[in-house]
């Protein structure tokens, strides 16, 4: 199990980057349903990895997309990207401890 830890960290980072990209694309396309699905999926992985603030931002994005009103999404998405930047730094630091 400990051998899988570095892979878990790497997978979370690359998966998160892809999910943030999907959120940004859905927002840019004004596609509320794609945004809702991407936020829901990302919320689960953040919760599983112990990133509660990012999971909460994803919940807010999901809720906002569900209403169809996407105006507030830009600010939420920016906050999610900032939170992920912090998490990425922490995970990269942790990853160095587990070559």
């Amino acid at each position: 199990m400990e051998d899988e830890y570095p892979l878990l960290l790497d997978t979370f980072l690359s998966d998160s980057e892809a999910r943030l990209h999907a959120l940004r694309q859905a927002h840019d396309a004004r596609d509320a349903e794609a945004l809702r699905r991407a936020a829901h999926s990302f919320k689960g992985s953040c919760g599983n990895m112990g990133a509660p603030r990012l999971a909460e931002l994803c919940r807010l994005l999901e809720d906002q997309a569900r209403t169809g009103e996407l105006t507030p999404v830009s600010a939420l998405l920016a906050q999610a990207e900032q939170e992920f930047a912090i998490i990425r730094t922490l995970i990269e630091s942790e990853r160095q401890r587990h070559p």
Side-chain angles (χ1 to χ4, degrees):
M1 177 91 155
E2 195 169 310
D3 293 342
E4 296 174 10
Y5 184 59
L7 178 60
L8 178 66
L9 295 175
D10 292 343
T11 301
F12 179 71
L13 286 179
S14 63
D15 183 63
S16 295
E17 289 170 1
R19 290 173 193 259
L20 281 169
H21 182 72
L23 285 168
R24 178 61 62 194
Q25 281 187 314
H27 172 262
D28 291 349
R30 309 295 291 166
D31 186 340
E33 181 57 24
L35 182 72
R36 187 198 62 75
R37 285 192 314 268
H40 178 80
S41 178
F42 195 19
K43 176 182 70 178
S45 66
C46 292
N48 291 338
M49 287 298 291
R53 174 73 179 130
L54 189 52
E56 174 63 11
L57 288 166
C58 289
R59 185 192 67 77
L60 293 170
L61 282 164
E62 180 182 12
D63 291 349
Q64 199 60 54
R66 192 175 285 116
T67 71
E69 175 51 52
L70 299 183
T71 302
V73 168
S74 289
L76 290 171
L77 192 49
Q79 290 176 47
E81 290 169 336
Q82 290 171 349
E83 183 66 16
F84 178 68
I86 294 166
I87 291 168
R88 177 186 301 142
T89 300
L90 294 171
I91 288 178
E92 287 172 348
S93 176
E94 177 69 8
R95 182 65 178 87
Q96 289 177 0
R97 297 178 51 225
H98 299 275

